Amino acid sequence: MDSLEKQLICPICLEMFTKPVVILPCQHNLCRKCANDIFQSSNPYLPTRGGTGASGGRFRCPSCRHEVVLDRHGVYGLQRNLLVENIIDMYKQENISSRPSPERKVDQPVCEVHEDEKINIYCLTCAVPTCSMCKVFGSHKDCEVAPLNSIYQTQKTELSDGIAMMVGNNDRIQGIISQLEETCRTIEDNGRRQKSKVCEKFDHLYTILEDRKTQMNLKVNAEQEEKLNYIHGLTRKYGDHLESMTKIMETGIQTMEEPEMAVFLQNAKPLLQIIAEASNTSHLEKVEHGYENMDHYSVSFKKEGRALQNIDFARGTAHPKCSLT
């Protein structure tokens, strides 16, 4: 039995394995609490919840130094060694039965009604422990009763089973919580990725609009330059004509001051012909009415504005809800 007991000793706490016992990938066993302690000491910066170690990480087996890699469930993802647990239970039962039980003096409670009577039976009808006098003469005389020890064993077994069930449920809930946390992280990553894609799409749309704006402004600039060049050229022609007319006028004024009639008449006739020709502006181009107008480049984005207002995500994509249970 001593050699068997040595095989049931945890290499961390040096005590007999306590439930639940986890089996590592290298086939060595640890108490779950001890495995959790090693995990936390090896991964001090990983977030934990109440010391349960419900995060991925790694540590080394204390028996063989094999590296143990944990998933997101942490030590709760390790398999329980039910065989070792059953062996420990049988060992403890055999050990207890083989040893003489020490005599213990237990203060047995007494009946509140019959102060000299110890509580020694259980009323099944009222579901309370009571004494024999209450069954014979008291309030439980018409009730169904049973020996106290039989009900004690039954309810102790039920309570033990209930606790074991709660432990199993806690393990399962802990795994679900870990899965939910992983889902939250995945949702955040997916959200960031989709927002980046939306920004890329809109940036592409902005680029298209900027390109179209540039192209349309180039058309306006080209016509503006053409019209300005034409008006500038026409302005120069009229300026040259005005300068020529001014010189002719100066010549005419000088001729008017000539005192000799013969000389005046000699100069006046050709000058009159020059004045007549200079006064004719039919050869000069005239700007058509509305030539300066650029309204034909007006733009309306009502249709496009409505289309932009209706920009949305592609429809028909389902939004599934997760099912973790």
Side-chain angles (χ1 to χ4, degrees):
M1 294 294 285
D2 291 339
S3 60
L4 175 60
E5 183 175 352
K6 291 181 180 179
Q7 297 299 320
L8 301 178
I9 297 298
C10 175
I12 299 302
C13 62
L14 300 180
E15 299 288 342
M16 190 170 291
F17 290 116
T18 57
K19 291 184 180 179
V21 180
V22 294
I23 182 170
L24 304 181
C26 56
Q27 304 303 310
H28 289 113
N29 298 292
L30 290 176
C31 305
R32 176 175 289 173
K33 180 181 180 303
C34 295
N36 187 47
D37 291 341
I38 298 177
F39 168 77
Q40 290 188 12
S41 63
S42 300
N43 302 270
Y45 298 106
L46 284 180
T48 59
R49 188 187 305 97
T52 57
S55 301
R58 58 188 65 205
F59 65 92
R60 293 190 177 277
C61 172
S63 298
C64 65
R65 306 304 297 166
H66 176 80
E67 187 177 51
V68 180
V69 180
L70 302 181
D71 60 14
R72 63 176 182 273
H73 300 300
V75 296
Y76 284 87
L78 294 174
Q79 183 180 358
R80 288 178 60 175
N81 196 332
L82 300 179
L83 176 60
V84 171
E85 293 181 13
N86 292 334
I87 292 174
I88 291 173
D89 289 340
M90 290 187 293
Y91 176 81
K92 288 181 177 180
Q93 291 294 331
E94 290 289 335
N95 201 25
I96 292 174
S97 62
S98 62
R99 295 177 183 176
S101 56
E103 294 183 359
R104 292 186 307 168
K105 291 184 178 181
V106 179
D107 294 333
Q108 190 171 355
V110 296
C111 178
E112 294 180 355
V113 179
H114 308 95
E115 296 181 357
D116 295 333
E117 294 292 328
K118 294 182 178 180
I119 294 176
N120 56 359
I121 60 174
Y122 188 85
C123 178
L124 298 174
T125 305
C126 301
V128 292
T130 185
C131 72
S132 300
M133 294 298 292
C134 288
K135 169 58 180 171
V136 178
F137 303 107
S139 58
H140 298 285
K141 62 181 179 180
D142 297 326
C143 298
E144 182 182 357
V145 297
L148 199 64
N149 61 344
S150 64
I151 303 301
Y152 165 78
Q153 292 296 336
T154 300
Q155 291 196 2
K156 191 172 183 180
T157 301
E158 291 177 358
L159 181 59
S160 177
D161 293 342
I163 292 173
M165 183 181 297
M166 290 186 68
V167 170
N169 286 337
N170 288 346
D171 291 347
R172 184 177 62 85
I173 292 173
Q174 185 64 60
I176 291 175
I177 291 174
S178 299
Q179 189 174 353
L180 288 172
E181 290 179 343
E182 181 67 24
T183 301
C184 286
R185 288 190 289 271
T186 302
I187 290 173
E188 291 174 351
D189 292 341
N190 289 341
R192 283 192 293 269
R193 183 166 53 253
Q194 292 307 119
K195 285 187 285 188
S196 177
K197 289 183 179 180
V198 169
C199 290
E200 288 178 4
K201 295 291 184 181
F202 273 90
D203 288 343
H204 180 64
L205 184 59
Y206 298 152
T207 302
I208 294 175
L209 291 173
E210 286 292 334
D211 181 66
R212 293 305 304 151
K213 182 178 72 174
T214 301
Q215 294 298 324
M216 294 173 73
N217 280 333
L218 287 176
K219 290 183 179 181
V220 175
N221 289 338
E223 182 165 334
Q224 172 186 308
E225 190 69 20
E226 180 184 353
K227 288 187 174 183
L228 288 175
N229 289 336
Y230 173 72
I231 296 299
H232 289 158
L234 200 58
T235 301
R236 286 193 296 272
K237 288 182 180 179
Y238 274 90
D240 293 343
H241 184 74
L242 179 62
E243 184 179 356
S244 176
M245 291 284 290
T246 301
K247 291 180 180 179
I248 294 173
M249 287 173 57
E250 292 174 353
T251 302
I253 292 172
Q254 291 176 0
T255 303
M256 290 287 294
E257 294 175 352
E258 176 61 47
E260 291 294 331
M261 291 185 290
V263 175
F264 173 80
L265 291 175
Q266 287 178 348
N267 295 330
K269 185 175 181 180
L271 184 58
L272 288 174
Q273 185 177 356
I274 293 173
I275 290 174
E277 292 176 354
S279 299
N280 183 13
T281 59
S282 59
H283 65 285
L284 296 175
E285 300 179 29
K286 295 181 176 57
V287 179
E288 297 180 0
H289 179 71
Y291 180 77
E292 71 282 2
N293 195 348
M294 302 281 283
D295 292 344
H296 51 285
Y297 286 110
S298 62
V299 178
S300 175
F301 290 118
K302 292 182 178 179
K303 178 180 177 182
E304 291 79 3
R306 288 193 297 269
L308 291 173
Q309 290 291 338
N310 292 327
I311 289 178
D312 203 346
F313 296 103
R315 294 184 179 165
T317 304
H319 300 281
K321 293 182 179 179
C322 61
S323 176
L324 301 175
T325 56

